[in-house]
Amino acid sequence: MMLRTILLAGLLLCCLHNNAQSTSDIIFVFNTKKTHQTIDNFAASDAWSCQFVGSWPAAKKNEIADWLFSMDTAANGTPKGIGLSMWRNNLGAGTAQQGNESGIRDEWRRAVSFLEANGTYNFNNAAGQQWFLTAAKQRGVAKFLAFVNSPNVQFTKNKKAYAEKGISNLDSTQYQNFAKDICQSLEGLRKKTGITFDYISPVNEPQWDWSDGGQEGTPYSNKEVSALTKVLGNTLTAQKLSTKILLAEAGMITYLFADNDKPGRGNQVHDFMEASSPLYVGNLTSVAPVLCAHSYFTTSPFAKSIELRKQLAAKIDSINGLSYWQSEYCILGDNHGEINGNKRDTGMTAALYLARVIHTDLAVANAAAWQWWLAISPYDYKDGLIYIDKNKADGNYCDSKMLWVFGNYSRFVRPGMKRIELASSITDSSLLASAYIDQKQKTIVAVIINSSKEKRNINIQGLSTNKKKAQMETYTTDATRKLTKQTTTGAVTIDPQSVTTLVIHL
């Protein structure tokens, strides 16, 4: 490819890789003429801590909200927050009202519903979650998603929010009541907060049994998901709600394109989105042209994670107009010895692993959205962007490098930007990069992950046609920095074990 055809007048990044024994050039070639998915959002979930943190002292919860949602900057240009572009709100099944009778052992995993036991609705419930909804809106978050782990306990077979014997806890005779409850909750929240929810996700990881009382949840077969979706779609239409149904929050990405170990719960792209399927719902106006899955159990080993994401991308691409969203992830399990989900890690080890997962989901699976699980966690686990004391009224809190590394993407790769082709002369997975373009703003964003212990110096050439060097900023997260800004028109250094966002103004 001739340099003059690359990035307007030609864009070439020459990366000088220094080490003790040799010096070699690493070339990144950006091709703005080859575009991939359009980015829709980066998000995280309010489950389950926001129900409590939303009533913490104002100064503390406001700083937490700033970290998550703010696009403001400090005087030195350093970002105040990671600028999430969507917020996921949990519509609870009423286990908080049930208390110990719910069978959910951990009180912090119980969730409140607006529907009370006497059949009335109380939209003063979930006040803490509503505080975060409002805080997100005030800080510029434009999109909102409501998700349901279990139908309200009033509608389930066992009057609990977890299932028995690995079968759905919702009888088909209750689909309409479940759908009406969702619509009532969405409309009540709109009146209370002014927020119209863009999406409703009515099922969560339907492949799992959800029978241990660890949290709210219920399994579904694809046949049941399809039937429920049709009822909910008709109800949304009848209620004149614009909210779109988002399917299907698969427990692993493989369930979108294969049956694996869950016959009747896999092959969800075919079952829901191919017109030849008897379970087809892709033609419903209330169903978003999106399928969602979670990246759990498929991120290691690295070569396998790439292979699976290529298969997923090919399957999604086989359906005209269909997009893929990675809708939930935290570091779970032992990941073939690469990293273990147990124990908090607020440093760069977990953050670099997270960055690698985001990269592969965006650059290989073509995810148009990437969403984290617990925005705020009280647990000794690698599941939080922000960590808190397990205290309902007040407590200590701290950020993590996972928060800021997520921000290397969420703050700079904005909705509407397109991923562009980025070819590299290095195939070593210790240096990963993806690039995105904002055509209106004439800006290119590259996110570069250097997980090695060596520095990479990048020389920028040929950025403009008027012989002036393009203005660039870097925002680096590493052991000592959190999206720290530097401005340059020359060489850029990618430090060891860091994630750097390079913003190029053309």
Side-chain angles (χ1 to χ4, degrees):
M1 182 181 294
M2 297 177 62
L3 287 180
R4 59 187 175 83
T5 67
I6 300 169
L7 188 56
L8 303 178
L11 174 59
L12 178 64
L13 288 180
C14 296
C15 305
L16 184 61
H17 178 201
N18 297 326
N19 60 45
Q21 280 143 16
S22 65
T23 300
S24 60
D25 289 339
I26 301 168
I27 309 297
F28 288 174
V29 179
F30 293 74
N31 184 355
T32 60
K33 294 183 178 179
K34 187 170 183 180
T35 60
H36 299 280
Q37 75 271 32
T38 300
I39 298 300
D40 190 277
N41 68 81
F42 290 88
S45 160
D46 73 351
W48 291 280
S49 297
C50 288
Q51 63 183 309
F52 302 124
V53 180
S55 33
W56 275 25
K60 293 183 177 182
K61 65 185 180 183
N62 272 297
E63 182 168 35
I64 289 171
D66 284 343
W67 283 347
L68 292 168
F69 308 127
S70 180
M71 286 289 288
D72 291 342
T73 57
N76 63 0
T78 298
K80 193 174 182 180
I82 68 169
L84 293 178
S85 42
M86 190 163 79
W87 185 235
R88 294 176 60 96
N89 175 256
N90 182 210
L91 294 181
T95 52
Q97 284 101 320
Q98 287 184 316
N100 291 335
E101 295 300 314
S102 69
I104 306 294
R105 297 180 298 276
D106 183 351
E107 183 183 2
W108 282 61
R109 294 189 174 197
R110 300 170 193 162
V112 69
S113 71
F114 299 111
L115 178 61
E116 299 284 16
N118 63 5
T120 63
Y121 281 83
N122 183 355
F123 287 99
N124 292 319
N125 290 347
Q129 290 176 264
Q130 291 190 55
W131 187 90
F132 272 94
L133 281 170
T134 301
K137 181 182 177 183
Q138 290 172 341
R139 289 162 175 80
V141 176
K143 290 187 176 182
F144 294 86
L145 180 155
F147 69 97
V148 177
N149 289 332
S150 166
N152 192 283
V153 293
Q154 296 188 37
F155 310 134
T156 60
K157 294 175 182 177
N158 61 4
K159 305 306 177 186
K160 305 286 186 184
Y162 61 92
E164 297 173 357
K165 300 178 182 178
I167 59 175
S168 175
N169 202 18
L170 183 68
D171 189 271
S172 60
T173 60
Q174 295 293 336
Y175 286 2
Q176 187 64 63
N177 286 331
F178 180 31
K180 286 181 178 178
D181 180 49
I182 287 175
C183 291
Q184 285 276 86
S185 298
L186 294 176
E187 182 62 7
L189 280 171
R190 184 193 66 78
K191 290 178 179 178
K192 192 79 186 298
T193 66
I195 293 170
T196 298
F197 280 81
D198 300 273
Y199 300 100
I200 174 64
S201 177
V203 302
N204 174 62
E205 298 182 340
Q207 293 80 18
W208 309 145
D209 288 349
W210 300 115
S211 59
D212 65 353
Q215 67 168 80
E216 297 182 350
T218 181
Y220 295 96
S221 68
N222 287 355
K223 184 177 180 180
E224 290 166 329
V225 172
S226 177
L228 175 60
T229 298
K230 291 172 183 176
V231 172
L232 178 57
N234 289 336
T235 308
L236 287 165
T237 299
Q239 297 292 325
K240 297 182 180 179
L241 299 182
S242 61
T243 305
K244 300 296 184 183
I245 300 170
L246 197 65
L247 298 175
E249 306 272 7
M252 293 193 301
I253 65 173
T254 49
Y255 291 128
L256 292 187
F257 59 85
D259 262 331
N260 287 355
D261 58 332
K262 299 289 183 180
R265 300 184 193 182
N267 277 325
Q268 291 183 313
V269 172
H270 165 76
D271 282 5
F272 300 144
M273 295 299 174
E274 289 189 10
S276 61
S277 167
L279 307 182
Y280 179 53
V281 293
N283 59 334
L284 301 181
T285 57
S286 55
V287 173
V290 177
L291 276 184
C292 301
H294 303 168
S295 279
Y296 299 126
F297 312 117
T298 61
T299 62
S300 62
F302 183 72
K304 183 68 173 177
S305 74
I306 297 296
E307 176 188 334
L308 292 175
R309 281 156 180 76
K310 286 180 178 179
Q311 293 180 53
L312 172 58
K315 187 63 179 178
I316 294 291
D317 194 50
S318 71
I319 307 294
N320 186 42
L322 184 63
S323 294
Y324 167 62
W325 290 9
Q326 193 295 123
S327 55
E328 183 182 314
Y329 181 74
C330 69
I331 299 175
L332 187 69
D334 66 5
N335 300 285
H336 295 88
E338 292 182 353
I339 192 169
N340 194 295
N342 288 314
K343 302 297 181 183
R344 292 185 184 183
D345 179 356
T346 58
M348 286 304 295
T349 299
L352 287 168
Y353 192 86
L354 167 60
R356 192 184 84 175
V357 174
I358 299 174
H359 170 85
T360 55
D361 284 334
L362 295 176
V364 183
N366 290 330
W370 204 96
Q371 300 167 2
W372 179 259
W373 177 215
L374 303 182
I376 306 168
S377 172
Y379 298 111
D380 189 16
Y381 207 84
K382 296 177 182 67
D383 59 357
L385 300 177
I386 297 165
Y387 286 99
I388 61 168
D389 292 341
K390 203 172 187 181
N391 188 317
K392 294 180 186 178
D394 195 358
N396 298 309
Y397 62 102
C398 68
D399 57 352
S400 72
K401 294 296 181 179
M402 287 194 292
L403 172 76
W404 300 107
V405 159
F406 191 19
N408 279 99
Y409 289 92
S410 61
R411 185 179 174 97
F412 303 98
V413 184
R414 301 303 295 172
M417 295 180 76
K418 289 183 179 292
R419 186 170 70 84
I420 60 174
E421 192 75 3
L422 173 56
S424 174
S425 64
I426 185 170
T427 58
D428 183 351
S429 62
S430 68
L431 184 68
L432 300 170
S434 57
Y436 311 82
I437 190 166
D438 185 329
Q439 297 280 13
K440 292 182 180 179
Q441 299 298 322
K442 298 192 182 218
T443 300
I444 285 178
V445 170
V447 185
I448 305 166
I449 307 163
N450 181 13
S451 58
S452 78
K453 296 181 180 179
E454 300 173 351
K455 182 183 295 186
R456 276 81 188 264
N457 297 318
I458 300 177
N459 295 318
I460 307 297
Q461 299 179 7
L463 286 176
S464 65
T465 57
N466 59 7
K467 298 183 180 181
K468 292 182 180 179
K469 292 182 178 179
Q471 181 183 353
M472 298 176 292
E473 296 104 38
T474 60
Y475 297 83
T476 299
T477 303
D478 61 13
T480 61
R481 293 176 286 181
K482 307 170 183 178
L483 296 178
T484 299
K485 180 184 178 182
Q486 288 184 302
T487 302
T488 182
T489 56
V492 176
T493 298
I494 306 299
D495 286 318
Q497 298 187 309
S498 70
V499 179
T500 297
T501 300
L502 175 62
V503 181
I504 306 168
H505 304 282
L506 302 176

